[in-house]
């Protein structure tokens, strides 16, 4: 019997923050999507305290999204993980995050061990390089987030706006998912160019006007987790922001549907002058709460009218 060859990729970083702070950032797979550029969405599918089954969606390139399920187990000084049913050319993927406090800092290591399917051995070097690149990218984000957590708390604004709709959840979902119809349906959208590389993934470039008369062009990726949620992330941002994620979420009730719009935005301090000389972070928070909420609530009201008309309400 031939032994299966294993391949390894391990990288590390020293973080000027306590180990418990760093570990909690790694554990928070939901919040990670706001911090890490390529992370689009994560869902916790099962959680018994010591072990979690999570699903992760990540931008692979400008036109595609990868998703996988990962089982994580919590240990005293590390978090281990196993990818379930990894996509070829991987046959198996396991690994761990480890956290060691040293002289007031935390040494963080991220290691992967993998095997490949038959016939893919010649790709091992390429795959190892991809994992090293991904590890280093994740560790860079982790170090920044841990070392700047108080500043990020000040710069990140997150809120949810709900609206009751006496209509069918499928009609509401379709109205907000069918971005190719938004130019006709939604007044503040001037232009939208859509790509849909998979049934549950969209990329689009969109020109949007805000209530104060300004406009901007952004690129977004959206993932549908039908029928309960559509998540999005802007991959090309307006000048004021360093990050913007959100969702449309739909909750069925006996009387109808609670539809909610969530926004999480990270303010770019160097761009505050865009809103006028002397603009503070709090001014920018107030501005974003007002304009982002106005646009998304306008969309929800249009979806409400559409769904309730179809329901004969």
């Amino acid at each position: 019997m031939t032994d299966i060859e294993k391949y390894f990729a391990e990288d590390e970083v020293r973080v000027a923050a306590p180990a418990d702070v760093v570990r909690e950032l790694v554990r928070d797979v939901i919040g990670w999507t706001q911090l890490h550029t390529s992370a689009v969405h994560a869902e916790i599918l099962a959680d018994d305290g010591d072990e979690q089954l999570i699903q992760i969606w990540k931008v692979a390139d400008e036109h595609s999204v990868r998703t996988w399920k990962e089982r994580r187990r919590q240990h005293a000084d590390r978090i281990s993980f196993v990818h379930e049913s990894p996509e070829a050319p991987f046959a198996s993927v396991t690994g761990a995050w480890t956290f060691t406090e040293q002289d007031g800092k935390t040494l963080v290591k991220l290691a992967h061990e993998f095997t490949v399917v038959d016939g893919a051995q010649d790709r091992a070097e390429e795959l190892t390089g991809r994992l090293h690149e991904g590890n280093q990218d994740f560790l860079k984000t982790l170090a920044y987030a841990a070392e700047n957590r108080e500043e990020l708390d000040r710069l990140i604004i997150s809120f949810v706006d709900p609206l009751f709709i006496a209509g069918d959840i499928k009609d509401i979902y379709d109205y907000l998912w069918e971005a190719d119809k938004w130019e006709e349906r939604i007044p503040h959208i001037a232009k939208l160019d859509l790509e849909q590389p998979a049934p549950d993934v969209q990329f689009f470039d969109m020109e949007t006007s805000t209530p104060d008369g300004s406009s901007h062009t952004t690129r977004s990726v959206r993932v549908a987790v039908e029928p309960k949620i559509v998540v999005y992330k802007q991959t090309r941002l307006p000048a004021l922001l360093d990050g913007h994620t959100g969702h449309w979420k739909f909750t069925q009730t006996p009387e109808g549907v609670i539809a909610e719009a969530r926004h999480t935005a990270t303010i770019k301090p160097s761009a505050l002058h865009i809103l006028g000389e002397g603009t503070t972070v709090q001014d920018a928070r107030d501005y974003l709460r007002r304009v982002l909420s106005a646009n998304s609530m306008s969309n929800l009201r249009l979806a409400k009218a559409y769904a309730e008309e179809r329901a004969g309400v």
Side-chain angles (χ1 to χ4, degrees):
M1 182 176 176
T2 304
D3 290 337
I4 298 174
E5 187 167 3
K6 296 179 179 180
Y7 306 93
F8 304 89
E10 180 176 288
D11 297 274
E12 64 181 50
V13 68
R14 281 178 171 77
V15 183
D20 58 342
V21 169
V22 181
R23 187 185 302 108
E24 187 53 38
L25 282 168
V26 175
R27 281 177 53 90
D28 182 17
V29 293
I30 307 299
W32 192 246
T33 58
Q34 184 65 22
L35 301 171
H36 191 60
T37 303
S38 63
V40 178
H41 183 52
E43 291 208 348
I44 299 173
L45 305 178
D47 188 347
D48 68 3
D50 293 327
E51 185 174 285
Q52 291 180 321
L53 177 62
I54 59 178
Q55 185 165 1
I56 297 169
W57 287 260
K58 177 184 176 182
V59 172
D61 54 45
E62 276 287 299
H63 307 281
S64 63
V65 170
R66 286 182 55 236
T67 185
W68 68 93
K69 291 180 181 178
E70 180 178 299
R71 194 169 294 277
R72 288 186 173 189
R73 178 167 286 278
Q74 314 298 322
H75 308 269
D77 60 350
R78 65 191 180 98
I79 298 173
S80 61
F81 56 84
V82 178
H83 288 207
E84 297 204 336
S85 303
E87 188 176 290
F90 293 104
S92 67
V93 180
T94 64
W97 298 82
T98 59
F99 313 92
T100 307
E101 289 203 358
Q102 296 179 343
D103 301 322
K105 296 185 178 182
T106 302
L107 175 65
V108 185
K109 293 183 180 181
L110 174 53
H112 283 83
E113 176 184 304
F114 69 95
T115 61
V116 298
V117 298
D118 287 345
Q121 286 77 8
D122 60 342
R123 296 192 59 190
E125 184 176 350
E126 170 208 340
L127 296 171
T128 302
R130 276 171 41 188
L131 286 171
H132 275 303
E133 184 178 352
N135 286 355
Q136 291 160 13
D137 197 23
F138 269 72
L139 291 169
K140 181 179 178 181
T141 299
L142 179 64
Y144 177 81
E147 293 172 357
N148 295 275
R149 59 193 184 282
E150 292 182 3
E151 177 69 355
L152 285 171
D153 285 344
R154 193 172 69 96
L155 296 175
I156 295 175
I157 177 172
S158 188
F159 58 89
V160 172
D161 289 319
L163 183 68
F164 173 76
I165 301 175
D168 187 272
I169 193 168
K170 184 69 165 56
D171 291 333
I172 305 163
Y173 182 97
D174 288 347
Y175 188 91
L176 293 168
W177 177 249
E178 293 169 351
D180 56 320
K181 300 177 182 177
W182 280 11
E183 285 186 38
E184 297 82 39
R185 287 177 169 176
I186 301 176
H188 66 259
I189 294 175
K191 185 179 181 183
L192 189 148
D193 295 319
L194 175 70
E195 304 172 39
Q196 191 158 333
D200 59 348
V201 175
Q202 294 177 342
F203 289 85
F204 54 70
D205 298 292
M206 182 171 67
E207 185 179 336
T208 309
S209 59
T210 56
D212 63 3
S214 62
S215 65
H216 55 258
T217 300
T218 58
R219 181 170 179 82
S220 299
V221 56
R222 297 205 304 173
V223 172
V225 188
E226 196 172 2
K228 63 179 181 176
I229 192 169
V230 174
V231 299
Y232 67 84
K233 181 167 193 166
Q234 289 184 336
T235 57
R236 185 166 67 243
L237 293 149
L240 183 61
L241 300 181
D242 273 332
H244 186 194
T245 62
H247 70 221
W248 306 102
K249 189 174 182 180
F250 315 100
T251 304
Q252 186 71 55
T253 74
E255 300 77 27
V257 178
I258 303 297
E260 70 174 38
R262 178 185 67 79
H263 292 277
T264 303
T266 305
I267 297 164
K268 181 186 293 184
S270 63
L272 289 174
H273 65 276
I274 291 171
L275 300 181
E277 198 65 35
T279 297
T280 65
V281 170
Q282 186 58 54
D283 293 333
R285 291 176 67 93
D286 295 343
Y287 169 82
L288 289 168
R289 184 65 175 89
R290 183 174 69 254
V291 299
L292 293 177
S293 183
N295 277 351
S296 57
M297 287 305 294
S298 172
N299 293 351
L300 282 182
R301 291 187 188 100
L302 290 167
K304 175 183 174 75
Y306 174 82
E308 291 184 349
E309 180 181 8
R310 290 175 66 86
V313 176

